[in-house]
């Protein structure tokens, strides 16, 4: 009989440290069958839109994601079958023609700002984590990241944050905190919470 695939959901606001928490968990189990799936990979294909229309997409809204496909893929992986996960092209603001093959694993970390928003996705998860970081810290991190890695201006980052990112966080992301099994204040610097989660995952892997 095939052992159950464990699904761990990790969410929180943009710049909140959810990716760092996810990678910290992954790095703790370097030789185990554990992998991460990012909700960002499942942004909807926008090739039918003009470039100007793609730029104006609200990427912090649930409708920006093809969550149906992500759910389908997770179910396939749980059934022991590999899937081809989309690759999103951030320069063209649409899905790339390329995909990457993901093989089944014992544990999957499902990471993204809205992974606890859809009840169907939540129902697939065994452990749900919310990384809770102050708004001020998150915007500072976002400014540094977007200026260094994405070549964006300070004005454009602040405009996007105040008009889209912050309102969407309070409308869609923060309310999902109530679904979390564990809330992790300040993300990866909360070593006690990370250690507890790693201990739990280790016990699951030992049982397999």
């Amino acid at each position: 009989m095939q052992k159950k695939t464990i699904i761990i959901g990790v969410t929180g606001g943009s710049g909140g440290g959810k990716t760092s928490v996810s990678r910290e968990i992954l790095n703790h189990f370097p030789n185990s069958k554990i992998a991460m799936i990012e909700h960002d990979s499942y942004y909807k294909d926008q090739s039918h839109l003009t470039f100007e229309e793609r730029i104006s997409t609200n990427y912090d809204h649930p409708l920006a994601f093809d969550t149906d496909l992500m759910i389908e893929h997770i179910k396939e992986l749980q059934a022991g079958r590999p899937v081809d996960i989309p690759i999103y092209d951030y320069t063209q603001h649409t899905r790339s023609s390329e995909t990457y093959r993901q093989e089944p694993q014992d544990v999957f970390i499902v990471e993204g700002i809205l992974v606890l928003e859809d009840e169907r996705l939540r129902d697939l998860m065994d452990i749900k984590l919310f990384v809770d970081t102050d708004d001020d810290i998150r915007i500072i991190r976002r400014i540094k990241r977007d200026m260094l890695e994405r070549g964006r201006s300070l004005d454009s980052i602040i405009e996007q944050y105040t008009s889209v990112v912050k309102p969407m966080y309070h409308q869609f992301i923060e309310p999902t905190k109530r679904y979390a099994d564990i809330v992790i204040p300040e993300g990866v610097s909360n070593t006690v919470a990370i250690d507890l989660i790693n201990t739990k995952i280790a016990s699951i892997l030992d049982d397999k």
Side-chain angles (χ1 to χ4, degrees):
M1 180 180 170
Q2 184 181 327
K3 289 288 187 78
K4 182 178 184 294
T5 302
I6 302 302
I7 308 296
I8 303 167
V10 181
T11 193
S14 175
K18 63 191 176 304
T19 303
S20 298
V21 166
S22 300
R23 296 202 183 284
E24 189 75 14
I25 295 169
L26 281 173
N27 293 337
H28 189 77
F29 301 97
N31 301 314
S32 302
K33 292 190 70 179
I34 180 170
M36 180 162 67
I37 301 175
E38 295 174 292
H39 203 188
D40 285 7
S41 298
Y42 292 86
Y43 277 127
K44 288 179 178 173
D45 181 71
Q46 301 197 113
S47 54
H48 60 290
L49 300 177
T50 66
F51 190 74
E52 288 69 27
E53 287 172 325
R54 295 179 205 170
I55 291 172
S56 63
T57 296
N58 179 353
Y59 288 101
D60 293 64
H61 193 284
L63 293 177
F65 296 90
D66 188 352
T67 303
D68 289 348
L69 181 61
M70 183 182 223
I71 291 166
E72 179 186 318
H73 280 178
I74 291 171
K75 287 180 177 177
E76 284 290 293
L77 290 164
Q78 287 178 316
R81 293 185 288 268
V83 298
D84 294 316
I85 293 178
I87 296 173
Y88 200 77
D89 185 340
Y90 290 95
T91 59
Q92 297 301 315
H93 300 275
T94 191
R95 195 173 285 179
S96 165
S97 59
E98 298 177 7
T99 59
Y100 74 91
R101 173 60 58 99
Q102 177 62 63
E103 298 293 335
Q105 305 290 331
D106 290 336
V107 179
F108 280 105
I109 297 169
V110 177
E111 182 262 358
I113 58 172
L114 289 164
V115 295
L116 297 188
E117 192 271 336
D118 191 305
E119 183 180 8
R120 299 168 303 155
L121 194 50
R122 291 197 304 273
D123 286 347
L124 296 173
M125 297 174 183
D126 301 279
I127 303 171
K128 298 181 285 292
L129 311 177
F130 189 101
V131 182
D132 194 17
T133 304
D134 186 79
D135 284 1
D136 292 346
I137 301 294
R138 290 192 298 105
I139 189 173
I140 290 167
R141 286 179 183 165
R142 191 179 174 98
I143 288 168
K144 289 172 71 174
R145 181 195 70 190
D146 285 3
M147 290 183 78
L148 288 172
E149 297 176 14
R150 300 181 183 177
R152 296 185 54 204
S153 69
L154 178 60
D155 286 347
S156 72
I157 298 164
I158 292 171
E159 161 62 23
Q160 186 183 24
Y161 183 83
T162 54
S163 64
V164 177
V165 177
K166 186 175 181 180
M168 292 299 100
Y169 173 78
H170 290 290
Q171 184 175 350
F172 292 112
I173 302 166
E174 190 178 44
T176 67
K177 192 189 298 185
R178 67 181 183 272
Y179 302 120
D181 300 307
I182 303 171
V183 176
I184 308 173
E186 303 308 325
V188 76
S189 60
N190 191 331
T191 54
V192 173
I194 303 295
D195 287 347
L196 286 168
I197 294 157
N198 285 339
T199 300
K200 174 66 175 174
I201 295 168
S203 71
I204 291 168
L205 289 169
D206 287 344
D207 288 340
K208 285 187 171 286

